[in-house]
């Protein structure tokens, strides 16, 4: 039974879908007392708090979900079934989410941990000053180096980055300028192509253009992006948070979005090859500046033309 086997922790920075993420879990029969919503920053602190909750409740599995994840109606059942089949050396699993910004399926935003592994995860959380841009993946890699396995399973379980605030979309795309460098050309093409019909992609372009200009150390800490937040609100306004303001309101709605959108497997790594080395090294290199200077100019032009058309 879910009541005895699973603790769910929703890690939120006050995303627009925070309550919806929780409601979709309740709709699937997860007991309310098994669900916890936390608002810890920076992310390294959110990691530790979520793991401590799982350890304190002592259920076999602890599922950490980002609040921008919307699960379809059978996601919890299917993930727990997969967990039950996992060998003992598997310390956790991730399902696949349809990612709006990437336009494909990704193992992102959901981490179903074997609770017995969480003490080890806590021991490998990096200090905020030294953490990388993927702090949870970095900690998981330490366990994998010791012979444990993390499974990314081929199981579609829901949506990622749909129905989000413009400000959160811009913040993520800002980080994407560093976190997903080899995909930027493809991502920018997708966002520009779709921006005329969907302002979410305009928000993504604003964030990306600012991220491309930042050659400092980028953090995923939401509190570091106040200037960007103000710019996005001034440009695009804010989305409402009443139930009627959402297109997705139930598990069946999530499944309807999945069924109606034909997606491929996501952006191809278009920059791999002779430039790949510079992406893995310092991002303030001349190569990074040269390669993305033209892309930044194109995004700036696109946004300027859109703003001129609004006047």
């Amino acid at each position: 039974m879910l009541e005895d086997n699973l603790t769910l922790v929703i890690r939120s920075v006050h995303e627009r879908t925070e309550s919806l993420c929780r409601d979709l879990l309740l709709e699937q029969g997860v007991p309310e007392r098994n669900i916890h919503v936390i608002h810890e920053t920076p992310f390294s602190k959110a990691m530790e708090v979520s793991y401590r909750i799982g350890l304190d409740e002592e259920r076999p599995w602890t599922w950490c979900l980002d609040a921008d994840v919307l699960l379809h109606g059978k996601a919890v059942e299917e993930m727990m079934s997969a967990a039950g089949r996992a060998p003992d050396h598997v310390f956790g699993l991730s399902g696949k989410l349809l990612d709006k910004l990437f336009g494909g399926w990704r193992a992102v935003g959901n981490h179903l941990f074997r609770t017995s592994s969480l003490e080890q995860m806590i021991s490998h959380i990096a200090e905020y000053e030294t953490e990388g841009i993927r702090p949870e993946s970095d900690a998981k890699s330490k366990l994998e180096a010791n012979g444990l396995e993390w499974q990314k399973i081929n199981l579609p379980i829901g949506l990622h980055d749909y129905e989000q605030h413009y400000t959160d979309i811009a913040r993520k795309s800002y980080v994407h300028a560093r976190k997903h460098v080899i995909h930027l050309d493809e991502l920018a093409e997708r966002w520009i192509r779709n921006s005329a019909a969907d302002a979410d992609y305009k928000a993504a372009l604003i964030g990306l253009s600012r991220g491309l200009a930042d050659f400092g150390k980028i953090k995923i800490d939401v509190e570091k992006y106040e200037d960007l937040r103000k710019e996005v609100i001034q440009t695009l306004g804010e989305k409402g948070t009443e139930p009627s303001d959402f297109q997705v309101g139930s598990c069946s709605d999530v499944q309807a979005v999945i069924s109606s959108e034909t997606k491929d497997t996501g952006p191809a790594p278009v920059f791999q090859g002779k430039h790949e080395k510079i992406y893995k090294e310092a991002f303030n290199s001349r190569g990074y500046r040269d390669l993305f200077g033209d892309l930044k100019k194109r995004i700036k032009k696109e946004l300027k033309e859109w703003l001129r058309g609004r006047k």
Side-chain angles (χ1 to χ4, degrees), residues 181-221:
V181 180
I182 61 173
H183 300 315
L184 287 188
D185 195 44
E186 183 79 10
L187 289 174
E189 288 289 342
R190 169 179 167 76
W191 299 346
I192 290 171
R193 185 171 65 249
N194 291 303
S195 62
D198 189 337
D200 282 1
Y201 297 105
K202 289 186 173 65
L205 290 171
I206 292 172
L208 180 58
S209 67
R210 301 300 176 263
L212 287 170
D214 185 348
F215 295 98
K217 185 175 182 180
I218 289 180
K219 292 279 191 179
I220 62 172
D221 186 354

Side-chain angles (χ1 to χ4, degrees), residues 127-161:
E127 295 291 333
Y128 176 67
E129 291 75 19
T130 61
E131 72 179 21
I133 204 165
R134 296 177 175 86
E136 195 151 44
S137 294
D138 291 344
K140 284 159 59 178
S141 68
K142 300 291 179 58
L143 274 69
E144 291 175 313
N146 290 327
L148 298 178
E149 179 185 349
W150 186 270
Q151 289 188 346
K152 294 181 180 179
I153 58 177
N154 188 28
L155 179 64
I157 59 172
L159 305 174
H160 181 249
D161 275 345

Side-chain angles (χ1 to χ4, degrees), residues 60-241:
W61 294 93
T62 301
W63 200 0
C64 298
L65 290 175
D66 293 348
D68 53 16
V69 170
L70 304 176
L71 299 180
H72 68 60
K74 293 186 177 180
V76 175
E77 175 188 343
E78 292 175 351
M79 282 294 289
M80 288 302 291
S81 177
R85 297 191 299 270
D88 290 345
H89 70 279
V90 172
F91 71 100
L93 311 89
S94 295
K96 295 195 308 181
L97 296 168
L98 185 60
D99 189 293
K100 182 170 185 179
L101 294 182
F102 273 71
W105 293 96
R106 299 178 64 208
V108 62
N110 72 106
H111 309 271
L112 179 57
F113 290 97
R114 197 182 295 274
T115 301
S116 59
S117 71
L118 293 178
E119 286 285 7
Q120 293 182 70
M121 285 293 295
I122 290 171
S123 71
H124 291 302
I125 297 174
E127 295 291 333
Y128 176 67
E129 291 75 19
T130 61
E131 72 179 21
I133 204 165
R134 296 177 175 86
E136 195 151 44
S137 294
D138 291 344
K140 284 159 59 178
S141 68
K142 300 291 179 58
L143 274 69
E144 291 175 313
N146 290 327
L148 298 178
E149 179 185 349
W150 186 270
Q151 289 188 346
K152 294 181 180 179
I153 58 177
N154 188 28
L155 179 64
I157 59 172
L159 305 174
H160 181 249
D161 275 345
Y162 285 75
E163 300 277 9
Q164 297 306 306
H165 287 300
Y166 296 133
T167 50
D168 287 333
I169 292 169
R171 173 176 49 82
K172 289 188 177 186
S173 63
Y174 190 111
V175 176
H176 284 354
R178 187 67 49 81
K179 191 173 182 179
H180 299 291
V181 180
I182 61 173
H183 300 315
L184 287 188
D185 195 44
E186 183 79 10
L187 289 174
E189 288 289 342
R190 169 179 167 76
W191 299 346
I192 290 171
R193 185 171 65 249
N194 291 303
S195 62
D198 189 337
D200 282 1
Y201 297 105
K202 289 186 173 65
L205 290 171
I206 292 172
L208 180 58
S209 67
R210 301 300 176 263
L212 287 170
D214 185 348
F215 295 98
K217 185 175 182 180
I218 289 180
K219 292 279 191 179
I220 62 172
D221 186 354
V222 65
E223 295 180 1
K224 302 296 182 183
Y225 297 92
E226 180 61 20
D227 290 343
L228 178 64
R229 188 188 72 83
K230 291 178 180 177
E231 178 185 358
V232 171
I233 290 175
Q234 183 178 6
T235 304
L236 297 173
E238 297 187 73
K239 293 181 180 179
T241 55

